[in-house]
Amino acid sequence: MKFRPIRENPHIYTDGRRLYTKNLIPGQKVYGERIIREKGEEYREWIVNRSKLAAAIKKRIKEVPIKPGDKILYLGIAAGTTASHISDIIGWDGVIFGIDVAPRIMRELIPIVKDRKNIIPILEDASKPDKYLHIVSRVDLVYEDVAQPHQVDIFIRNIDYYLRGGGYGFLAVKARSIDVTKNPKVIFRDVEKQLREYGFRIIDVVRLDPYHKDHAMFLIQNK
Amino acid sequence: MKYALVRFSGIYLFDENIRLVDKKKVEFDAEDILTIKEGKLPNNIKKILPQGVLFLGQRFEDFRTEDNVGKIRKALGQIRDEDFITVQPQFVRAAIRDISRSVTRDLIIIQAISMLDDLNKIINLMMERFREWYELYLPELSQMIDDHEKFVKTVSGKTREELMKEYGIEDTMGGDLTEMDIEMLNNISKRILELYRLREDLRKYIEKLMEEVAPNVKAIAGPTVGARLIALAGGLKELAMLPASTIQVLGAEKALFRHLRKGTPPPKHGVLFNHPMVQKLPKKRRGAMARTLAAKISIAAKVDAFTPGKFIADRLQKELEERFRQLKEGIKGKTK
């Protein structure tokens, strides 16, 4: 058997080197990734250089708490590269609320979500979570990748509104968008402190180098 | 019933302890989603809404809002059994409409000015090659005419003999090219001239667009520099939201970040370097001019973005000229 599930999540596969998810929409490529068919299943390569979550998995983040049927609030969904793999995992019983403020990038998301109906595109500003109270429900996971100076506040605010008790949060931090003058290490330490002081349990923090320079992925659990 | 929450699946009503007491089903379409985005209640919801309710977190014209996050959270926790997959296409449609109406005139300026900059690079690249090539044929002429456009205009369609006579070149180091070679050179020169004409068209087009979209910025910064600032900011509103100190160094990001990281001297100007008032001053005073200029552009952009139709550039221009005169004459201090 060429593909086997990784230890951290039974719905993410590896061939020993690369990561894959089972394609929810057979035949659909989202960002030029490779598709491999085996025993009637279609595996879609999850490219670590393109997706911070894939990089975090590659860097052995302790847990990947995403499962079929999960509801997910995705802040900064952009062109849907990472979201498409999460969409593969959660399947037709789950849903991703994909928030992005930039029309330019959402133009690239639209053709993908026309088939991938478990992703709901929402053109709004993630720093105003009350703007999507009519659609986003209580969720199992908040994923944020927004590259904004106030990204930690945005993360916390959205969790306050939407994340269930005991739910999880992934926060991709780009040190340079918080403060270009500071050493990334210092920034990551400050972020960790801020998250801990808010009362989250910090499950793991991994640096995403060399796949994404000066980035780190934080995994937290809600009270 | 005290609180209400509008969802795509209907309207949910809660008592004062945020216990769900009633749900009224409502069919939603893309139009309703956009209405909600604009902060208005769709009519089909207005019709069935009990009087005097407070909306949880949601802001609607003529209605009150409860902002307590704990209450909002509690309300969301009681909403179940919603069919997201069925309603998804409505949200896709709403997003498409939303993206479509986000296309404003300033986005066209950004594309046009970027095309102009690209075109300049392309023309330069082609001209360098064209000269090299032409110098195999008549190197003396290329040395006599430095200006690219003038050079290509001069040689286009003319024979070597005509040009030698016209420019008094008695003997040439150029080789004898065949009919076929010369035809190709002529062909290229004609295309390059077309590119020069395209560049001129683009310039005029940008000037018209700027007059339409940002007349105050155009008057103060000039059409090209103004358009570049809009492009660097990402739009007219975005430019209007920037502090003058940022406008001053737009286009000098490399130097600015080097300054922030390594403490090198900060840049005095970005694309404002290309403004005639900055250009005409000695190096030491350009920083001061750029600073004032940025301040006036910042005001101009705010007017263009938020009070379209108002023209204050004449007054700003006067103040700028006063500052320019002071700097030119070497008087320190500020304009009033």
Side-chain angles (χ1 to χ4, degrees):
Chain A
M1 160 98 188
K2 193 181 171 194
F3 296 102
R4 58 185 160 79
I6 61 167
R7 181 156 40 90
E8 293 83 356
N9 190 311
H11 307 282
I12 302 169
Y13 300 84
T14 181
D15 55 5
R17 277 183 57 209
R18 299 189 187 86
L19 296 169
Y20 300 84
T21 53
K22 270 188 198 169
N23 199 353
L24 186 67
I25 315 287
Q28 189 194 53
K29 276 193 190 190
V30 174
Y31 56 105
E33 71 282 19
R34 191 188 333 217
I35 287 179
I36 300 169
R37 289 180 187 88
E38 196 196 71
K39 292 177 189 153
E41 294 280 6
E42 206 173 279
Y43 294 84
R44 213 155 58 80
E45 188 189 351
W46 196 351
I47 304 177
V48 285
N49 292 304
R50 298 287 301 279
S51 166
K52 281 157 215 159
L53 184 54
I57 296 167
K58 186 88 179 172
K59 295 287 297 270
R60 314 254 37 165
I61 197 161
K62 268 188 209 146
E63 295 176 38
V64 189
I66 307 172
K67 58 183 187 309
D70 273 356
K71 293 193 178 73
I72 290 168
L73 174 56
Y74 196 127
L75 310 167
I77 189 165
T81 305
T82 299
S84 71
H85 289 286
I86 299 177
S87 147
D88 283 348
I89 298 169
I90 62 172
W92 291 116
D93 294 328
V95 63
I96 298 172
F97 305 101
I99 316 288
D100 210 295
V101 71
R104 167 70 189 79
I105 194 77
M106 199 159 264
R107 240 156 52 192
E108 288 169 42
L109 177 70
I110 295 298
I112 294 154
V113 302
K114 277 190 174 163
D115 292 323
R116 247 173 223 280
K117 293 196 196 321
N118 63 358
I119 301 179
I120 298 180
I122 303 165
L123 189 68
E124 287 289 357
D125 183 349
S127 63
K128 296 174 182 141
D130 50 274
K131 292 292 282 179
Y132 34 85
L133 274 167
H134 60 290
I135 171 68
V136 178
S137 68
R138 178 158 283 197
V139 298
D140 302 291
L141 178 99
V142 172
Y143 186 98
E144 177 180 300
D145 181 5
V146 295
Q148 291 271 325
H150 301 295
Q151 54 169 270
V152 182
D153 297 326
I154 294 172
F155 186 62
I156 290 173
R157 228 172 123 61
N158 277 279
I159 286 177
D160 271 351
Y161 272 68
Y162 296 109
L163 185 62
R164 70 166 164 85
Y168 296 90
F170 277 109
L171 174 64
V173 174
K174 180 179 176 184
R176 266 174 297 163
S177 24
I178 291 187
D179 190 338
V180 284
T181 64
K182 279 196 195 143
N183 183 335
K185 237 186 225 163
V186 176
I187 290 172
F188 297 147
R189 207 188 50 214
D190 289 350
V191 170
E192 193 173 333
K193 193 166 160 249
Q194 198 181 342
L195 293 172
R196 181 163 290 130
E197 276 172 7
Y198 200 75
F200 300 133
R201 181 168 82 91
I202 295 180
I203 297 174
D204 203 2
V205 183
V206 292
R207 293 284 300 254
L208 303 184
D209 308 89
Y211 309 113
H212 302 267
K213 199 173 165 268
D214 294 339
H215 282 74
M217 182 68 82
F218 291 74
L219 173 60
I220 62 103
Q221 188 174 22
N222 203 11
K223 288 169 272 187
Chain B
M1 270 174 290
K2 191 159 177 221
Y3 299 107
L5 189 64
V6 176
R7 302 273 303 169
F8 67 91
S9 50
I11 180 148
Y12 291 77
L13 298 161
F14 303 86
D15 66 14
E16 59 273 15
N17 297 318
I18 321 285
R19 267 192 299 257
L20 182 64
V21 286
D22 198 8
K23 183 204 162 179
K24 296 178 197 279
K25 223 173 121 79
V26 183
E27 295 284 318
F28 249 54
D29 62 15
E31 209 56 50
D32 295 323
I33 294 166
L34 291 170
T35 306
I36 286 178
K37 187 187 168 81
E38 282 161 12
K40 289 176 194 135
L41 262 189
N43 280 329
N44 47 357
I45 287 182
K46 257 186 200 164
K47 271 188 282 182
I48 55 168
L49 190 73
Q51 287 212 320
V53 291
L54 266 104
F55 280 98
L56 287 160
Q58 297 175 314
R59 263 153 242 288
F60 295 112
E61 235 172 52
D62 308 324
F63 290 93
R64 291 181 306 145
T65 301
E66 167 61 58
D67 276 323
N68 183 299
V69 180
K71 289 182 179 169
I72 297 168
R73 196 185 153 75
K74 192 171 174 194
L76 276 175
Q78 295 172 70
I79 292 167
R80 283 189 185 81
D81 304 324
E82 289 181 315
D83 184 1
F84 295 100
I85 306 282
T86 309
V87 78
Q88 191 263 11
Q90 302 286 8
F91 277 87
V92 174
R93 225 166 293 148
I96 289 170
R97 291 268 324 269
D98 223 1
I99 294 166
S100 159
R101 56 181 197 181
S102 74
V103 179
T104 44
R105 305 287 291 167
D106 54 339
L107 298 186
I108 305 169
I109 291 179
I110 296 175
Q111 295 305 323
I113 190 73
S114 305
M115 180 67 86
L116 183 68
D117 289 340
D118 291 345
L119 195 55
N120 274 326
K121 278 186 212 139
I122 292 163
I123 289 174
N124 263 321
L125 198 63
M126 288 182 78
M127 273 311 297
E128 272 165 42
R129 178 58 55 210
F130 180 69
R131 270 183 194 265
E132 280 276 334
W133 191 339
Y134 198 84
E135 278 168 19
L136 295 177
Y137 184 48
L138 184 59
E140 292 78 6
L141 187 68
S142 177
Q143 286 157 11
M144 291 168 82
I145 307 174
D146 281 339
D147 184 73
H148 280 338
E149 190 171 359
K150 194 177 166 205
F151 178 76
V152 70
K153 265 188 184 150
T154 307
V155 303
S156 187
K158 283 203 189 127
T159 66
R160 183 161 70 171
E161 287 64 38
E162 283 170 337
L163 287 166
M164 285 175 78
K165 214 173 147 194
E166 199 177 319
Y167 282 85
I169 301 163
E170 281 170 13
D171 211 359
T172 178
M173 295 179 276
D176 293 325
L177 270 54
T178 68
E179 194 70 15
M180 182 177 83
D181 305 330
I182 295 163
E183 209 174 291
M184 194 65 229
L185 271 176
N186 252 321
N187 193 347
I188 294 168
S189 71
K190 270 185 219 147
R191 305 301 170 95
I192 296 178
L193 278 174
E194 273 173 33
L195 292 182
Y196 274 110
R197 279 195 291 276
L198 178 61
R199 187 173 77 172
E200 202 38 46
D201 291 347
L202 255 177
R203 262 211 198 106
K204 284 182 193 148
Y205 174 68
I206 289 168
E207 203 170 329
K208 274 189 209 154
L209 272 177
M210 284 295 289
E211 185 60 44
E212 173 195 325
V213 175
N216 287 291
V217 171
K218 178 190 166 233
I220 301 299
T224 322
V225 171
R228 273 200 194 107
L229 289 172
I230 290 175
L232 286 162
L236 178 60
K237 278 219 167 68
E238 286 76 2
L239 181 65
M241 304 284 240
L242 291 180
S245 53
T246 301
I247 295 177
Q248 188 186 342
V249 295
L250 275 183
E253 283 75 10
K254 214 170 140 190
L256 177 69
F257 287 121
R258 205 191 311 124
H259 164 66
L260 291 173
R261 275 172 199 270
K262 298 187 180 158
T264 56
K268 295 186 288 296
H269 36 55
V271 296
L272 291 189
F273 176 74
N274 292 313
H275 194 278
M277 281 191 184
V278 176
Q279 291 265 317
K280 281 182 200 153
L281 286 170
K283 261 196 175 158
K284 286 211 137 184
R285 308 232 168 86
R286 285 180 184 173
M289 192 67 234
R291 189 168 60 240
T292 309
L293 189 56
K296 302 302 174 194
I297 291 170
S298 171
I299 296 168
K302 286 170 175 71
V303 172
D304 285 335
F306 302 113
T307 326
K310 189 171 173 176
F311 193 75
I312 57 150
D314 39 359
R315 206 184 78 216
L316 297 175
Q317 186 67 25
K318 227 186 246 166
E319 289 164 1
L320 264 183
E321 274 159 16
E322 169 67 13
R323 180 68 170 150
F324 178 71
R325 198 181 52 76
Q326 282 182 358
L327 289 167
K328 187 105 192 160
E329 291 164 6
I331 305 165
K332 286 191 178 162
K334 293 174 184 168
T335 52
K336 56 164 171 28

